[in-house]
Amino acid sequence: MDSTRKFQVISGSERRPVDGARLIHNSHPDQRIEVSIRLRSRSEAKHAELKRALENPGFKHLSRAAFEAAHGADPADLEQIKQFARDFDLQVRETGTELARRTVMLSGAVRDLQRAFHVELGEYSHPRGNFRGRVGAISVPAEYADVIRGVFGLDSRPQAETHFRRLPRTPGISARAATGSHDPNEVAQLYDYPEGDGSGQCIGIIELGGGFKLDDLSSYFASLNIIAPQVISVSVDGATNSPSTPDSADGEVMLDIEVAGAIAPAAKIVVYFAANTDQGFLDAITTSVHDKTNQPSVISISWGSAESNWTAQALTNFDDAFQAAAAMGVTVCIASGDNGSSDGLSDGNNHVDFPCSSSFALACGGTSLQASNGKITSEVVWDNQPDSGASGGGVSNVFPLPSWQNAFGVPAPSNPKGGRGVPDVSGDADPNTGYNVLVDGESEVFGGTSAVAPLWAALVARINQQIGKPIGFLNPLIYAKAVEASAFHDITKGNNGSFSAATGWDPCTGLGTPDGVKLLGVLTKKASKKSAT
């Protein structure tokens, strides 16, 4: 390499050491790695305007083709990355989606990647598993720096956690008999979901591990007297549908599919499997959002971790990917986490979970739902701390207060750059009042905000079916006073640690749990007489 060549740091790419990790040895120079390069938009000015325009409830969605033409990567920038690859003996794996996803896949030997990005890669041991890691920033030759917005894949540390909670079994008693659990379609009835089965819709589900078995899905939906939905898997960066045992991430996968499928059984369900790394997660999001074959109208995500666990480049690029979804009318429902106001960190501070804290995500918190004779009898904040979880919620220290949350009394953030309040909405998440599911042949009861993301995704699928087009980015719509006042069950009792429920929006359950028929009515401005009473 020319020692006189000037390199420039990629903003926000700095990585800190992982607590509890131990360096075993340097990565082998011949080891081959694939990385994802995120490119700038072809028009940065238009992209900034788009972000502001999306806060307008009347925003008109763009088609995938129109979005790519206006906001995708510039072909000239793609050619620059190909030249960068040639400079360092790297190979480009072309997928045909580079411009839409603004993502280029490069592969090469460790020795060449270390030269190209000015990093040192090592193999680490950690209680959660071995990983390849780096410390410090990524740099690229200065002539390419303006083109690149992020580099992902050099570091393979686990990035996110599942957000489901499994109800402990009582010896000799079935999980279903031991609790006030519900079938997912029963929860939809309690929340008065509008009629429909999701016909004509596609629900995308992102999974960072685990898998599903078709026999289990067939048996589960048969037990509910529901025709099993079409469920297909999409491999992202080589990850596959890999079911194993009920104690694995299979629990997450099956909960997500079974909740969404029981409520919207006629919708096509596409599960995007990716590795649990920032690269895998981001590539799964961009793959699903720009999927021209399956064209999901709503995406459910039940994985995440505290904002402080992410690099700045990850926070920025994920948020940008969700902005693209909003622009194209794709609703993204994301679990708010299961560890209350601390989000599982022990530093004594409040934290919110990411990616739900993105302003372009519908952040989904949790309640404890009691019902009798088909009616809700009690609903409070889910809070079974310290051991059994609580609704994630609080205030982002990264993303500013959106205009649509201005009038809702969101508490001040610890970091003045933050301000976005989490969650936006909620639903039943207490494992004690949770969901009957089938996982690897075992009947279980699961809770967690993991269940709330597909619960809301299925509601969006029914709403889209009813109105005949995607409702899209819900947040500016549901914070309008006409919607907020009439379409939610306001949760006013309970807390998630540092925050308490209150009248109106709060950092435990957001605006509340849905009254589906009323929500459809106010969103379409065609409220029925029942909705108006």
Side-chain angles (χ1 to χ4, degrees):
M1 182 177 66
D2 183 356
S3 60
T4 63
R5 196 168 196 173
K6 183 179 179 181
F7 275 67
Q8 185 171 322
V9 169
I10 298 298
S11 177
S13 63
E14 296 81 6
R15 275 286 199 188
R16 299 191 302 269
V18 178
D19 290 340
R22 182 168 58 92
L23 176 64
I24 303 301
H25 55 73
N26 294 332
S27 298
H28 194 284
D30 292 335
Q31 180 185 352
R32 294 193 66 81
I33 296 171
E34 187 169 74
V35 299
S36 302
I37 310 296
R38 280 278 289 175
L39 305 179
R40 63 185 175 184
S41 168
R42 66 171 64 217
S43 173
E44 298 285 272
K46 285 185 179 179
H47 212 54
E49 291 174 6
L50 175 65
K51 188 171 186 176
R52 293 189 293 270
L54 284 167
E55 296 199 351
N56 178 1
F59 179 83
K60 186 176 181 180
H61 303 143
L62 303 174
S63 68
R64 283 176 167 85
F67 181 88
E68 178 180 341
H71 302 284
D74 192 312
D77 288 350
L78 175 59
E79 291 305 313
Q80 281 211 62
I81 296 303
K82 290 180 178 180
Q83 181 58 54
F84 168 70
R86 289 190 290 268
D87 289 351
F88 292 95
D89 298 320
L90 306 177
Q91 289 72 50
V92 178
R93 178 170 68 84
E94 297 196 57
T95 65
T97 63
E98 286 80 10
L99 300 182
R101 293 174 57 215
R102 291 170 43 205
T103 301
V104 187
M105 310 302 296
L106 302 183
S107 64
V110 162
R111 64 165 60 85
D112 296 321
L113 290 163
Q114 290 183 149
R115 287 192 304 117
F117 296 109
H118 266 204
V119 294
E120 292 185 4
L121 303 179
E123 305 299 322
Y124 290 81
S125 173
H126 188 268
R128 289 182 62 188
N130 297 339
F131 65 92
R132 181 183 62 255
R134 63 177 178 85
V135 176
I138 295 170
S139 299
V140 297
E143 62 266 34
Y144 301 115
D146 286 346
V147 173
I148 297 173
R149 290 293 175 265
V151 179
F152 301 90
L154 294 168
D155 190 304
S156 66
R157 70 185 70 183
Q159 185 62 64
E161 298 178 351
T162 59
H163 288 327
F164 74 92
R165 294 295 177 107
R166 181 178 180 177
L167 184 71
R169 284 181 168 235
T170 302
I173 302 177
S174 72
R176 184 181 296 221
T179 182
S181 61
H182 310 281
D183 294 327
N185 49 333
E186 179 187 352
V187 176
Q189 292 170 356
L190 292 171
Y191 288 142
D192 197 20
Y193 275 25
E195 291 186 1
D197 55 11
S199 178
Q201 304 302 309
C202 175
I203 299 174
I205 298 176
I206 290 176
E207 303 292 359
L208 306 180
F212 63 86
K213 297 177 181 177
L214 291 174
D215 284 346
D216 277 349
L217 294 178
S218 178
S219 298
Y220 178 76
F221 291 110
S223 73
L224 300 179
N225 295 315
I226 292 173
I227 297 175
Q230 178 188 10
V231 181
I232 63 176
S233 61
V234 172
S235 171
V236 178
D237 299 346
T240 59
N241 174 26
S242 303
S244 55
T245 66
D247 296 319
S248 70
D250 291 4
E252 182 63 73
V253 176
M254 297 302 280
L255 175 65
D256 294 343
I257 295 173
E258 289 171 356
V259 169
I263 300 170
K268 178 166 63 172
I269 296 177
V270 181
V271 187
Y272 299 85
F273 286 100
N276 184 12
T277 63
D278 58 0
Q279 176 193 27
F281 204 165
L282 179 58
D283 285 350
I285 292 166
T286 58
T287 297
S288 60
V289 168
H290 296 280
D291 185 346
K292 295 179 181 178
T293 300
N294 296 298
Q295 300 186 43
S297 58
V298 57
I299 294 169
S300 175
I301 300 175
S302 296
W303 298 71
S305 64
E307 285 181 332
S308 58
N309 292 334
W310 301 78
T311 62
Q313 69 166 358
L315 293 163
T316 299
N317 280 279
F318 276 62
D319 184 62
D320 198 58
F322 295 136
Q323 178 184 329
M328 293 184 288
V330 180
T331 311
V332 183
C333 307
I334 308 183
S336 72
D338 296 349
N339 292 293
S341 57
S342 72
D343 205 29
L345 300 187
S346 56
D347 59 6
N349 297 318
N350 293 324
H351 298 273
V352 295
D353 211 69
F354 182 79
C356 85
S357 63
S358 164
S359 296
F360 297 103
L362 183 74
C364 302
T367 66
S368 179
L369 175 71
Q370 302 285 345
S372 178
N373 298 320
K375 300 291 183 182
I376 297 173
T377 57
S378 171
E379 193 165 20
V380 299
V381 178
W382 169 43
D383 178 25
N384 294 330
Q385 297 188 91
D387 298 321
S388 300
S391 175
V395 185
S396 172
N397 281 323
V398 176
F399 300 102
L401 180 73
S403 62
W404 33 264
Q405 273 190 330
N406 274 338
F408 287 85
V410 178
S414 300
N415 183 338
K417 292 183 178 180
R420 189 270 203 265
V422 172
D424 300 301
V425 296
S426 52
D428 182 30
D430 185 348
N432 292 293
T433 64
Y435 300 77
N436 303 314
V437 296
L438 183 66
V439 182
D440 296 320
E442 299 287 338
S443 294
E444 305 285 354
V445 173
F446 281 178
T449 56
S450 277
V452 188
L455 182 76
W456 268 87
L459 172 57
V460 171
R462 285 198 184 185
I463 289 173
N464 289 346
Q465 178 187 4
Q466 288 281 349
I467 65 177
K469 61 181 181 180
I471 192 68
F473 185 33
L474 268 178
N475 298 29
L477 301 173
I478 63 174
Y479 280 92
K481 283 294 183 182
V483 180
E484 178 262 333
S486 61
F488 291 91
H489 307 290
D490 192 6
I491 310 303
T492 59
K493 294 182 180 180
N495 67 81
N496 67 348
S498 295
F499 302 105
S500 296
T503 301
W505 182 90
D506 59 66
C508 303
T509 58
L511 297 172
T513 59
D515 183 314
V517 169
K518 290 182 179 179
L519 181 59
L520 172 65
V522 293
L523 288 176
T524 57
K525 298 182 180 179
K526 295 178 181 179
S528 65
K529 291 182 180 180
K530 177 181 176 183
S531 301
T533 59

